[in-house]
Amino acid sequence: MSHTEIANQIKELQENIVLIYAFNATGKTRLSVEYKNISKTDEGNHTGVYYNAFSEDLFVWNNDEENNNENISLNINFSSLSQFHSYIEEKDIEEKLSLYNPKYKFRFNLNDNPEKGIDSVTFFISEENTTPIKISRGEERIYIWCFFLALFEIDAWSGQQEAHFFIDDPVSSLDEHNIFITAESIFNLIEENDNYLKKKIIITTHHIGLFSILFDKLKKGEKSGRYNKLTKPFILKNQDGSLTLNSLNNDVFLFHLHLIQTIDNAIKTELFSFHFVLLRQLLENISSFLGVGRTGYVLQQIGIEKVDEIGSIINSLSHKNAYSIQYNKMKEVEEDIFKDVFQRLQDKYKFIF
């Protein structure tokens, strides 16, 4: 199938929340563009709001090299979104940024013509030290994401571009902890959107951790009763130029190999509490593959003695708010349990990845 055909397939879905894990080089950004094209009105007007690589490209640094960087700023190029900038206040973005604990302040530099929106953004250390600075690439991406989060929530879309949100991979250049804060910010966006029963929200990502956290919250978490039937998860693949959009349940084996790769890499580098979500999903996928549907059975098969106790610990830790600072890194005892279960899985099933 082509990107246009996949876009049409997504558009025709009955579910309002579409969660897509897309492999590298599948053309996620192109898919968002195709969705934009097929969903335009007969007059050519947009019916939704998008965050993708083109959104990020609207923000360009003016290094002010002629003046020795004295007035360095992040310029915002004019686009069809500029007319909505006037609905955003600095405090709206500050609220979104607060989850990420930024180490800077900022101010808008407004255009003389309100129709042209915000001209640029100046960043500085503190209210006492307002010398313009250039923030890091990761901080820049977080700021742009929060800018769009604030933009998504304005009331000005009512009656025009309110049919859908399309969020394409808002995690580039972010470290692991910030990726999962981003997952929480997306879930907050879904929760705070009063029209979630009418508006379609499409999220694509190449990051299996981001996908897993959102999948868990929407399909199995504490509030999943509200979203489970509204959510449809997929895996998008590109084989020899042809795309396929597969239901997660039909591609469970491939998905759990990616979970294994992610967990193995985390063990070799650094473990965070959110990795228990991935471990629980791996156990669930293996139990489903074996046809039993019980993670306790898998724990028993790999030689865990206190099956109920270890199962309860994994379930408890995987349902914590993974983005919270106090739950950021695993405790030593949690690491020991995590590594032991994963190693036993490898010893038993000898996955090749």
Side-chain angles (χ1 to χ4, degrees), residues 44-106:
N45 298 321
H46 297 313
T47 58
V49 188
Y50 301 82
Y51 178 92
N52 55 26
F54 292 107
S55 306
E56 294 183 347
D57 289 344
L58 293 174
F59 295 75
V60 181
W61 283 102
N62 172 17
N63 293 327
D64 194 31
E65 294 178 357
E66 294 181 358
N67 298 305
N68 198 29
N69 310 122
E70 286 185 6
N71 295 303
I72 191 169
S73 62
L74 186 62
N75 289 355
I76 306 178
N77 291 334
F78 178 78
S79 71
S80 60
L81 298 175
S82 298
Q83 59 183 311
F84 300 105
H85 288 178
S86 59
Y87 296 93
I88 305 175
E89 298 182 20
E90 292 169 356
K91 65 179 180 63
D92 298 326
I93 301 178
E94 289 171 351
E95 178 184 341
K96 307 301 179 187
L97 277 172
S98 62
L99 280 175
Y100 296 92
N101 294 313
K103 302 298 188 292
Y104 58 81
K105 302 289 184 180
F106 70 92

Side-chain angles (χ1 to χ4, degrees), residues 225-244:
R226 188 179 182 187
Y227 303 109
N228 186 21
K229 293 183 179 180
L230 294 170
T231 303
K232 188 72 173 178
F234 292 99
I235 294 178
L236 180 67
K237 294 192 292 184
N238 187 335
Q239 294 180 318
D240 300 322
S242 179
L243 297 177
T244 56

